[in-house]
Amino acid sequence: DSGVTQTPKHLITATGQRVTLRCSPRSGDLSVYWYQQSLDQGLQFLIHYYNGEERAKGNILERFSAQQFPDLHSELNLSSLELGDSALYFCASSVATSYNEQFFGPGTRLTVL
Amino acid sequence: QKEVEQDPGPLSVPEGAIVSLNCTYSNSAFQYFMWYRQYSRKGPELLMYTYSSGNKEDGRFTAQVDKSSKYISLFIRDSQPSDSATYLCAMGTGRRALTFGSGTRLQVQP
């Protein structure tokens, strides 16, 4: 157990809908990273937050957004969902902003029908 | 060309074998090297972390980094069926997001 929690474990929804994925980092970690993992794309970095502030963006679509709250948990919002958004979404946390030694949560499996 | 190349496998070995997993990279700015293990439908688990050339050992696992050749390896001694998973290498500069390899699927046959 990495200490990173994610909810829900599974999410099934329809195209055009909006969903929110939640992540709680390890105790003491200030950085949260979101990744998308699909079969044909591997693990893709989406966005990084440090202590409530956005620090870096990767291959994140405009339909996706995230935030980190004062208690350091983070939410990833996915809207206008498309079939191609079906994937595993992971969050990871680390102590600082050096992007290293990231600890991953169990993931949320999103299925868009 | 991808910054990090990793043979996708699958790699199938008998129990007790020594396994060698490898990644090559093209970005000389990478300073930090990690190996993650990912069981099916689970989150990646950090196995090894190193930031220098040479070897780092942890139990049955040895991580090797050769910065001059831009090549990293993970060796698993006395492999067990429980080692069957996908192994991801990851690299970082410390200034931007980690870059992951595509993963090598390992199957250890009992």
Side-chain angles (χ1 to χ4, degrees), chain B residues 1 3 23-28 33 53-54 64-73 91:
Chain B
Q1 183 189 4
E3 278 190 301
C23 287
T24 58
Y25 63 95
S26 57
N27 188 348
S28 58
F33 305 91
S53 283
Q64 187 175 82
V65 174
D66 182 346
K67 289 187 179 179
S68 63
S69 300
K70 296 189 179 66
Y71 188 89
I72 71 170
S73 299
M91 306 181 187

Side-chain angles (χ1 to χ4, degrees), chain A residues 58-109:
Chain A
N59 299 322
I60 188 166
L61 299 172
E62 286 190 10
R63 300 183 285 107
F64 296 1
S65 65
Q67 54 184 327
Q68 187 179 27
F69 295 86
D71 66 353
L72 301 177
H73 90 273
S74 178
E75 293 181 356
L76 178 67
N77 301 294
L78 315 176
S79 61
S80 301
L81 286 168
E82 302 176 357
L83 295 178
D85 298 326
S86 296
L88 274 167
Y89 291 85
F90 291 105
C91 81
S93 73
S94 68
V95 171
T97 62
S98 62
Y99 298 98
N100 304 318
E101 287 193 287
Q102 295 180 25
F103 297 88
F104 282 77
T108 293
R109 177 171 294 277

Side-chain angles (χ1 to χ4, degrees), chain B residues 39-87:
Chain B
Y39 291 113
S40 181
R41 301 192 175 198
K42 304 291 186 185
E45 171 193 359
L46 181 62
L47 277 179
M48 302 286 283
Y49 169 73
T50 182
Y51 53 87
S52 59
S53 283
N55 295 348
K56 180 177 181 180
E57 191 173 317
D58 184 1
R60 295 186 296 111
F61 298 91
T62 299
Q64 187 175 82
V65 174
D66 182 346
K67 289 187 179 179
S68 63
S69 300
K70 296 189 179 66
Y71 188 89
I72 71 170
S73 299
L74 178 71
F75 297 97
I76 307 174
R77 290 184 298 281
D78 188 26
S79 56
Q80 303 295 310
S82 59
D83 294 327
S84 298
T86 296
Y87 290 80

